[in-house]
Structures are given as structure tokens and as C-alpha cells.
Amino acid sequence: MTTAAARSGMVAACSRLVPGMDLFSPVRLGDLQLANRVVMAPLTRMRAGASGVPNDLVVEHYAQRAGIGLIVTEGTYPRFESQAFVGQPGIVTDEQAEGWRLVAEAVHARGGRIVMQVMHGGRVTHPDVNGGRRVEAPSAIAINGAGHTEKGKQPYPVPHALTTEEAREVRDDFVAAAERAVAAGLDGVEIHGANGYLLHEFLSPASNQRTDEYGGSPANRARFVVEVVTAVAEVIGAGRVGLRISPEHDIQDAVETDRDDVLATYGTLLDQLRPLGLAYLSILHREPDGDLVQELRRRFAGPLVANSGFGSVTSRAEAVQLIEAAHADAVAVGRAAIANPDLVERWRGEHPENEPNAALFYASGAEGYTDYPFLVASQS
């Protein structure tokens, strides 16, 4: 692990390499040239209906936020079994791909950049969510809790433990989804390896109790994620691929409480991905400027998108500090991006912000989705 002195040296070097760098300066993440360093975090909003096809409301939502340097879409399922939420969009059918094409065109028309987060929900789903299909996971261990389904809240079932061959079929579906996303006009993809969903379930020793090549040691638990990301990068180009991880987030029973094991697992993961030259690594962690995140950044040796995430709302002050102290190359922002479609303009001018309405985050209509006022409207 890097020492404080070493980290300070790295920060100083980064600052010298990019004089005048701030939150509103341009940045390049792989093949993605961004106008500013604000990234819209992937935000589950469940507005795509039963078909999983992005509709006009979804198109409007993303187009409104095109001023953000990079939009990362909500988690989008690459196979029907992997759907985690009612109303979640997919990238499986031609109709879904066409819906995403309209989203990409609308964002690009306003000068924005957008990548699709490809997400397999793993055991965080139910047959009454994914159309009666099986629930897939690394091991046959259920989450201790209940999830929302079309028939109300129900306990999570014991999932089917993927065989080695089935796991590789899932890998291939990630690749096919990435191909569809790029063909539909999105600028790239972010592979979701965080928040207790399938890829994170392989990484966590609490959810992965396999004894084959995908389980046991830190290297084995990292193997499947390496294979998925590598396969996607080989097909669409590494410069269009990001990876999101959330070490020590301890959510949805993907528990990681042993710091040494965490560093061994994620360090191995990033050591193996480093030669690919991915567009970026996005890390959700309560201490984005702390030892763990900065060590993983060093191991990755590419652009870092930092996200302090769930525990507290990311503020303008925190985002500015992370960039100016060179702790990250860009900052992912969630709730502020929900409530402020013109977030970058508000932050650049230090204008007042709209407050997000959490009660409407997962509703079904325009309210709390596309009706937040823009700065000009709020000042008129």
C-alpha cells in the first residue's frame, strides 16, 4: 500500500502535469473527450415500462442532462435473467436497442457524451421481476431480505449457481450487449462490477463460495470479472470501456470486511486489467481520497472517476476538492444530477440547486424525473 508521503508525491506530480486543472476543465477518458469532469452516476429510475424499451420520457431525461461531461446510464440488463427491477431498461432486443439509439441521438444533439452501464443483477432479483426466469449467482446463497416485484415485496429466492459454462454464456451476453450499445450510437459502456450485483458477487467472499476456477482465492474470485471486461474490450475497443467497482460497500450481502482480502482481490483484478488501457475506473467508496482507493488507482494506472456515493450527497465543494487535490480525474454525481438537469451550469456559477425528491426516485412518470426546473426558469 502506498504511504502518505508517496501519495502526496503522486498528487503533486499530477498537479504539475495538468496545470490549472479544475472540475470544469476538459478531460480525456480513453476514447472519450469530455467537456468537463462531472460524470452523471448510473441512477436506477425504472421508467422503461414492462418492455424495457427506453421511451420518450427516458430520452428527454437524458437529453436534459447533456451538459454533464459524461452521462452513465442506469444499469441496463444484457440478458433477460439479469433484470433486477421492474421498469428497468434492457439491451437485449432490437426494440430496446432502438430506444437507446434515440437516447444517444438526443444527447449528442446537445453536445453530450453518454455510455451505457451494462448490469447483470445476479441474485438481486426474483422470477416475478425477470419474467419467470431463473435467478443467477456465483453460489446458491440467497440474500437475507426482500425485493420489490410486480406482486409486491417478496423474499429473495435461493439463486441458481452458474456452472463454468453458464458463466461464460453470461460473459458472451455482456459482449453482445456492448456491441448493441455501440451500434446504437452510445459512446461506450461501463461494466457494472459494484453494489452487490453479479460481478460484485463473484468478487465478494461472502457471496462467492465456489471451489472451481472462479472461487476461493482472491485471484480466482477476480477471474470472472477480468474475463468479462477483457472480452468486451476486445470487441468494442478498450478506450470505450469503463469498469465500476465498490470495494467495502457491504451492500446486498456482498460483504467485504477484511481489508487485506479486499486489497488482494481488487489489486489482482486491476493488475490484470491495467494492460488493456481501459477508458476509466469508477470507484464508489466512502473515502475516495483514502489509502484503498488511491492504491487501487495506482494499480489501475488509468483515469479514475471517484464517487463517495450512498452515505452522503456529493456536494460541489467535495467534487471541486477531489479534482483540485488530484485525487481523481473526474467525479461521479448522483442525487444532484437527478434534481438539476443543468448541474454543471449551476456548479460553475455557484448558483442555488434544486432539492431532489427521494419519494419520486422510483416512480413511473415525469414527476420527479423530467420536471425539475432549469436555472433560467427558476430565475425568471
Side-chain angles (χ1 to χ4, degrees):
M1 184 169 293
T2 52
T3 64
R7 290 199 312 279
S8 297
M10 179 178 69
V11 167
C14 289
S15 299
R16 288 195 299 272
L17 286 170
V18 191
M21 180 177 73
D22 64 34
L23 184 65
F24 308 105
S25 63
V27 64
R28 189 170 191 85
L29 307 182
D31 293 347
L32 310 173
Q33 181 64 48
L34 312 185
N36 56 72
R37 296 165 187 265
V38 181
V39 173
M40 179 171 158
L43 299 161
T44 298
R45 303 306 303 278
M46 304 194 299
R47 258 62 172 203
S51 68
V53 176
N55 50 41
D56 290 346
L57 196 63
V58 175
V59 172
E60 181 183 0
H61 168 74
Y62 285 114
Q64 286 179 340
R65 289 154 179 79
I68 292 173
L70 178 65
I71 293 172
V72 183
T73 75
E74 59 210 284
T76 304
Y77 58 85
R79 61 195 262 132
F80 288 113
E81 291 87 347
S82 65
Q83 181 180 356
F85 308 109
V86 175
Q88 180 185 9
I91 186 64
V92 180
T93 69
D94 291 343
E95 293 77 13
Q96 290 169 345
E98 174 63 15
W100 283 117
R101 183 185 65 79
L102 297 175
V103 170
E105 287 179 351
V107 170
H108 290 156
R110 299 191 185 186
R113 294 287 178 266
I114 181 168
V115 299
M116 176 183 289
Q117 187 186 70
V118 184
M119 167 191 157
H120 189 305
R123 61 183 181 167
V124 190
T125 189
H126 189 281
D128 288 336
V129 171
N130 70 8
R133 297 171 176 87
R134 72 185 183 191
V135 174
E136 302 174 328
S139 301
I141 305 170
I143 298 174
N144 182 21
H148 293 278
T149 78
E150 289 187 333
K151 299 178 181 178
K153 204 165 186 179
Q154 298 192 58
Y156 289 112
V158 175
H160 167 73
L162 292 165
T163 67
T164 303
E165 184 57 37
E166 289 167 348
R168 290 169 181 159
E169 291 173 4
V170 171
R171 174 203 62 197
D172 293 344
D173 282 338
F174 269 93
V175 173
E179 289 183 294
R180 288 191 200 96
V182 170
L186 285 94
D187 298 297
V189 301
E190 177 179 287
I191 303 300
H192 197 348
N195 294 9
Y197 300 114
L198 183 72
L199 298 191
H200 193 189
E201 291 164 14
F202 272 91
L203 294 167
S204 167
S207 49
N208 181 349
Q209 297 185 9
R210 301 172 72 99
T211 57
D212 64 358
E213 63 194 272
Y214 292 133
S217 68
N220 280 0
R221 282 184 274 116
R223 188 188 308 277
F224 183 61
V225 183
V226 171
E227 290 181 359
V228 169
V229 176
T230 301
V232 170
E234 286 175 349
V235 171
I236 69 168
R240 290 184 168 200
V241 180
L243 171 66
R244 184 167 174 87
I245 57 175
S246 59
E248 299 182 329
H249 192 31
D250 296 344
I251 190 172
Q252 299 182 143
D253 288 0
V255 180
E256 297 164 326
T257 56
D258 183 334
R259 173 59 69 89
D260 290 340
D261 183 82
V262 168
L263 188 56
T265 303
Y266 288 89
T268 297
L269 170 67
L270 298 176
D271 287 346
Q272 293 182 68
L273 294 179
R274 182 172 59 246
L276 297 179
L278 297 176
Y280 65 88
L281 174 69
S282 180
I283 303 183
L284 172 66
H285 194 275
R286 61 186 175 275
E287 296 179 348
D289 57 349
D291 288 352
L292 176 64
V293 172
Q294 294 304 313
E295 170 64 7
L296 295 179
R297 180 191 192 187
R298 184 188 70 80
R299 301 280 281 268
F300 177 65
L304 174 70
V305 178
N307 188 189
S308 60
F310 286 53
S312 61
V313 176
T314 301
S315 66
R316 180 190 187 279
E318 179 189 4
V320 166
Q321 190 276 334
L322 284 169
I323 298 301
E324 292 186 349
H327 292 309
D329 299 281
V331 179
V333 182
R335 279 159 282 191
I338 286 177
N340 298 276
D342 51 356
L343 180 66
V344 172
E345 182 182 356
R346 288 177 187 267
W347 276 8
R348 183 183 281 117
E350 299 188 61
H351 298 293
E353 298 175 37
N354 301 321
E355 289 296 321
N357 185 342
L360 297 173
F361 283 173
Y362 310 116
S364 58
E367 188 180 7
Y369 189 59
T370 57
D371 63 345
Y372 286 105
F374 284 75
L375 183 62
V376 172
S378 67
Q379 291 184 334
S380 61

